[in-house]
């Protein structure tokens, strides 16, 4: 009886030591889930989710503080991906949040006064220019976050929708109208 | 007799080639206008280098290649540039693209051509540049810039395969080209062989084209071409697919994600070989091609048409029948419905089929997949088309990729045999372009993340630098104060290097100011005391005399000034 207890206790202590050692040896700094969620987010850094960028939103989702349906640029597809990743149910966009067609900012260079306010607002450094020099959008780098639109004192920034052209055209999903049998 | 190999699957659709292959190639009439798209090839669009209103000559470059993978576009005849604008092009989307509209002047005046009698003496790099500038691209339909495919380190490519299989129904342009211009095709193949350092050349021709096989065989003998063979391959669709033809001729199976060049084989269409010869030997750019006009027309035949010829003007020469309801570019299996009959012929236009309800009855409604796996039996890429359909239909793109969706060559054999009339290839095309779009946006997101993180880093660094600077300044000021309060006041007269700012810091600002002023005055006095007239020694007697007179004058002025000052004080 006693020997059995001792053996069990010894095993418990040994395994406990192994676990304790593993916890120290294989300790992971930070939450790896944040990186995974961040990889799914569209990186527009627009703040429409209410967090100052994609990474903070990813952190909030990982902590359970934010819902998965707050990212309009990611679209419904983004919500599906997040739902798959986190093993939760799909949740449609609520209220007035809805995805908009993709757009890039455009600076009307006739009206730009070179104040640099938009440059300071751009989260991805996609605006070229300097104080009292005309600014322009580097369209290829623009994420369409609209953060530059509000700070402009002369309202010379517009969002221009990206039109479908030969290079970004996609084959459509085959749809065949049903016809009543004669 | 060469032993041939087999590829998996394949079908035997009605060939429909007899309608158009009995007439020789006809030179198409000069059209009223040419609509030349600047993006006729794989890679970057060519950049227009002419202006509207400018007169151009036949063969003149009007679109310059831009970037690594690109090709030049030329004026197919002499005439005036009417417009450079967005027009509908031969693309399934029907979206306009940049085109140059040329109004021919009827002179057909060539630009100066650089012919080359001895191409063997020309450096390989120059030959490739000439091909790029001549706008030579793959004429089998893919329109990949040929110069890009003609690279090889010595003897890495063993076999050059010329594709004359022409497996799709209706199309006969390669058949006629081989019958009429066999010698020139073989000359082009020699250039390609030299550029690739290939040993043997195999020309694969389906055995439903006996005239072409005979013509090529006799041209090989006449031209005394070594290590070159025209091989009759069995007629089975899609035997003209590059991977399938390579398999049949060499037994080499190109694995998923691999290229045939990794296995020592490169493949070109026979039309590309012909254009290569014209470009190198005669300096003629790719400005025309053989186009089969067939289907619902009175006289189906092959035309040599200028690139940019509007489809309706070309088809008009073959007598289209009144019940024509649209055109297919390419074959009935893989071709695309043209969005309009106004679009211009491009480098990839091998065939134009006029459609009528009797020839191409409207598709029957698709029924559910019954998983009969007939598609599996015919798939030449050995895929599982029914599974791919299942995943594409449910937009399960990841799974579709796992089932090697990108090995699908879109040959349409699966749709052809499907008893449920499911347009399988349309689903695969949808899934493929959806995956490409997702890849693109993923790349863009990654780039944006990187830029955002770098920006955050930069802002943080700038903040840190500012704080460091401020701290350093404060520290210096404190140190200076400590130094000044510890040391006695510097004697103002002592030493020549007393700075104004070295005045002791005092709590009372006025006092400090006074001290500073005093220090400045002292400094000036000291400077005056130290400074002495220079060059006062070793003077000539003449200089001495001059100095003496000047001194005398000064003394007198001083005296005068003093006396007048005295008078003033007296008054």
């Amino acid at each position: 009886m006693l020997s059995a207890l001792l053996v069990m206790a010894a095993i418990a202590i040994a395994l406990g030591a192994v676990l304790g050692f593993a916890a120290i040896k294989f300790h992971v700094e930070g939450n790896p889930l944040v990186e995974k969620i961040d990889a799914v987010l569209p990186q527009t850094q627009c703040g429409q989710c209410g967090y100052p960028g994609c990474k903070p939103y990813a952190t909030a989702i990982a902590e359970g503080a934010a819902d998965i349906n707050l990212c309009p640029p990611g679209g419904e597809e983004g919500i599906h991906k997040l739902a798959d990743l986190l093993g939760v149910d799909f949740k449609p966009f609520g209220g007035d949040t809805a995805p908009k067609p993709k757009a890039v900012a455009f600076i009307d260079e006739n009206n730009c006064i070179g104040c640099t306010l938009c440059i300071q607002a751009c989260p991805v450094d996609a605006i070229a220019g300097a104080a009292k020099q005309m600014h322009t959008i580097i369209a290829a780098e623009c994420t369409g976050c609209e953060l530059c639109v509000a700070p402009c004192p002369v309202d010379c920034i517009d969002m221009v929708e990206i039109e479908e052209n030969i290079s970004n055209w996609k084959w459509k999903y085959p749809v065949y109208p049903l016809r009543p049998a004669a | 007799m060469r032993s041939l190999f087999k590829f998996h699957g394949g079908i035997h659709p009605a060939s429909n080639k007899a309608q158009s292959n009995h007439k020789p190639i006809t030179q198409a009439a000069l059209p009223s206008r040419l609509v030349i798209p600047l993006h006729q090839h794989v890679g970057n669009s060519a950049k227009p280098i002419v202006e509207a209103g400018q007169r151009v000559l036949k063969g003149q470059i009007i679109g310059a290649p831009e970037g690594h993978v690109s090709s030049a576009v030329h004026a197919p005849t002499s005439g005036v540039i009417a417009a450079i604008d967005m027009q509908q092009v031969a693309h399934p989307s029907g979206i306009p693209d940049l085109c140059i509209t040329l109004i021919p002047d009827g002179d057909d005046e060539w630009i100066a051509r650089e012919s080359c009698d001895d191409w063997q003496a020309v450096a390989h790099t120059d030959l490739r540049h000439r091909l790029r500038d001549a706008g030579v691209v793959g004429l089998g339909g893919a329109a990949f810039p040929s110069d890009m495919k003609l690279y090889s380190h010595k003897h890495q490519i063993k076999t050059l395969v010329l594709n004359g299989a022409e497996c799709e129904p209706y199309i006969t342009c390669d058949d006629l080209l081989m019958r009429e211009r066999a010698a020139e095709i073989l000359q082009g193949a020699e250039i390609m062989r030299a550029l690739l350092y290939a040993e043997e050349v195999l020309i694969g021709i389906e055995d439903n084209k006996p005239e072409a096989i005979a013509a090529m065989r006799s041209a090989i003998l006449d031209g005394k071409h070594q290590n070159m063979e025209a091989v009759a391959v069995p007629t089975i669709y899609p035997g003209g697919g590059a991977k399938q033809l390579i398999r049949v001729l060499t037994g080499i199976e190109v694995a998923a994600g691999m290229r045939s060049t990794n296995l020592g084989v490169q493949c070109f269409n026979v039309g590309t070989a012909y254009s290569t010869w014209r470009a190198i030997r005669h300096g003629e750019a790719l400005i025309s091609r053989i186009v089969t006009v067939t289907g619902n027309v009175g006289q189906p035949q092959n035309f040599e048409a200028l690139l940019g010829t509007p489809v309706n003007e070309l088809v008009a020469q073959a007598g289209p029948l009144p019940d024509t309801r649209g055109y297919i570019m390419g074959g009935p299996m893989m071709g695309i419905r043209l969005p309009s009959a106004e679009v211009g012929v491009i480098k990839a236009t091998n065939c134009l089929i006029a459609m009528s309800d009797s020839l191409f009855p409207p598709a029957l409604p698709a029924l559910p997949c019954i998983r009969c796996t007939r598609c599996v039996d015919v798939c030449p890429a050995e895929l599982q088309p029914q599974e791919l359909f299942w995943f594409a239909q449910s937009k399960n793109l990841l799974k579709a990729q796992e089932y090697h969706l990108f090995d699908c060559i879109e040959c349409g054999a699966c749709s052809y045999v499907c008893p449920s009339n499911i347009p399988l290839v349309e689903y695969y095309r949808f899934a493929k372009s959806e995956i490409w779009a997702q890849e693109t946006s993923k790349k863009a997101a990654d780039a944006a993340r990187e830029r955002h993180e770098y920006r955050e880093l930069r802002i943080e660094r700038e903040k840190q630098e500012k704080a460091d600077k401020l701290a350093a300044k404060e520290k210096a000021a404190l140190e200076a104060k400590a130094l000044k309060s510890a040391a006695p006041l510097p004697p103002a007269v002592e030493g020549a290097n007393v700075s104004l700012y070295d005045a002791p810091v005092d709590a009372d600002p006025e006092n400090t100011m006074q001290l500073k002023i005093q220090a400045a005055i002292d400094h000036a006095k000291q400077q005056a005391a130290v400074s002495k007239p220079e060059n006062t020694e070793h003077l000539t007697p003449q200089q001495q005399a001059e100095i003496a007179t000047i001194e005398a004058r000064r003394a007198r002025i001083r005296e005068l000034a003093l006396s007048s000052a005295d008078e003033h004080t007296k008054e």
Side-chain angles (χ1 to χ4, degrees), chain A residues 134-150:
Chain A
M134 193 199 292
H135 305 340
T136 197
I137 306 279
I138 306 165
E141 308 290 355
C142 177
T143 64
C145 68
E146 304 188 9
L147 289 180
C148 54
V149 176

Side-chain angles (χ1 to χ4, degrees), chain A residues 35 38-45 52-56 77 81 102 119-127 138 140-141 143 164-176 179, chain B residues 39 89 91-93 95-97 336 362-366 392-395 410 423 426-427 429-431 433-434 437-438 441-442 444-449 451-456 458:
Chain A
E35 294 295 324
D38 194 42
V40 172
L41 295 176
Q43 304 302 322
T44 45
Q45 318 293 350
C54 296
K55 194 77 175 264
E77 208 178 300
K81 277 187 189 164
K102 273 195 177 171
I119 296 181
Q120 291 162 39
C122 180
V124 290
D125 285 336
I127 306 180
I138 306 165
E141 308 290 355
T143 64
E164 195 175 46
N165 59 34
I166 294 264
S167 44
N168 68 12
W169 175 80
K170 294 191 283 186
W171 285 93
K172 301 290 173 284
Y173 189 79
V175 176
Y176 293 90
R179 279 172 303 182
Chain B
H39 197 187
V89 293
H91 189 270
S93 67
I95 297 172
D97 199 17
I336 54 160
L364 293 166
Q393 192 191 30
S394 57
K395 301 184 186 173
E410 299 175 23
E426 287 183 35
Y427 282 97
R429 283 176 172 165
F430 154 76
S433 66
E434 203 61 36
Q438 283 188 9
S441 59
K442 181 101 186 61
D446 287 344
R449 183 187 296 114
R451 286 177 79 84
H452 180 64
E453 277 169 5
Y454 182 75
R455 181 174 187 268
E456 303 270 273
R458 198 195 68 218

Side-chain angles (χ1 to χ4, degrees), chain B residues 4 80 91 123 229 247 439-440 470 491 523-524 537:
Chain B
L4 295 176
V80 178
H91 189 270
E229 191 183 341
R247 167 87 186 151
E439 291 281 302
T440 318
L470 205 69
H523 180 69
E537 286 155 36

Side-chain angles (χ1 to χ4, degrees), chain B residues 328-544:
Chain B
I328 295 174
M329 183 180 101
M333 304 296 293
M334 295 183 69
I336 54 160
R337 274 289 297 269
L338 287 179
S340 138
E342 308 271 310
V343 301
V345 165
I346 56 174
K347 291 176 183 177
T349 311
N350 48 5
C351 180
L352 291 168
I353 306 176
M355 293 197 297
S356 69
D357 285 339
S358 54
L359 282 176
F360 297 91
L364 293 166
L367 299 169
C369 171
I370 55 168
R371 298 183 74 78
C372 64
T373 63
R374 276 196 214 171
C375 46
V376 179
D377 296 339
V378 298
C379 179
E382 292 180 64
L383 299 174
Q384 302 279 310
Q386 85 285 7
E387 301 287 1
L388 288 173
F389 162 65
W390 192 250
F391 298 131
Q393 192 191 30
S394 57
K395 301 184 186 173
N396 192 348
L397 303 176
L398 220 65
K399 207 78 180 152
Q401 269 174 289
E402 270 176 38
Y403 277 72
H404 302 285
L405 174 66
F406 281 95
D407 285 330
C408 167
I409 58 168
E410 299 175 23
C411 67
C414 49
S415 316
Y416 182 81
V417 296
C418 181
S420 291
N421 309 306
I422 302 171
L424 293 159
V425 177
E426 287 183 35
Y427 282 97
Y428 306 150
R429 283 176 172 165
F430 154 76
K432 280 184 184 177
S433 66
E434 203 61 36
I435 291 166
W436 277 322
Q438 283 188 9
E439 291 281 302
T440 318
S441 59
K442 181 101 186 61
K443 264 187 205 155
D446 287 344
R449 183 187 296 114
E450 201 176 303
R451 286 177 79 84
H452 180 64
E453 277 169 5
Y454 182 75
R455 181 174 187 268
E456 303 270 273
L457 199 78
R458 198 195 68 218
I459 289 171
E460 201 51 46
R461 195 189 63 206
E462 277 171 2
K463 250 190 213 163
Q464 190 61 44
E465 278 172 1
K466 226 178 204 173
D468 286 352
K469 236 185 212 168
L470 205 69
K473 228 180 196 174
E474 271 173 11
K475 200 178 159 203
L478 275 175
E479 266 175 12
K481 195 177 168 185
L483 209 70
K484 290 287 139 39
S485 53
L489 282 184
V493 228
E494 196 189 298
N497 286 332
V498 184
S499 158
L500 285 181
Y501 306 102
D502 285 348
V505 185
D506 204 290
D508 185 6
E510 250 181 54
N511 209 355
T512 322
M513 218 48 201
Q514 294 234 318
L515 276 171
K516 269 189 183 169
I517 293 165
Q518 191 54 49
I521 293 169
D522 288 347
H523 180 69
K525 273 185 185 167
Q526 193 191 329
Q527 284 282 314
V530 167
S531 66
K532 274 183 197 163
E534 285 169 11
N535 300 330
T536 48
E537 286 155 36
H538 313 296
L539 296 173
T540 56
Q542 199 185 342
Q543 283 171 328
Q544 296 263 357

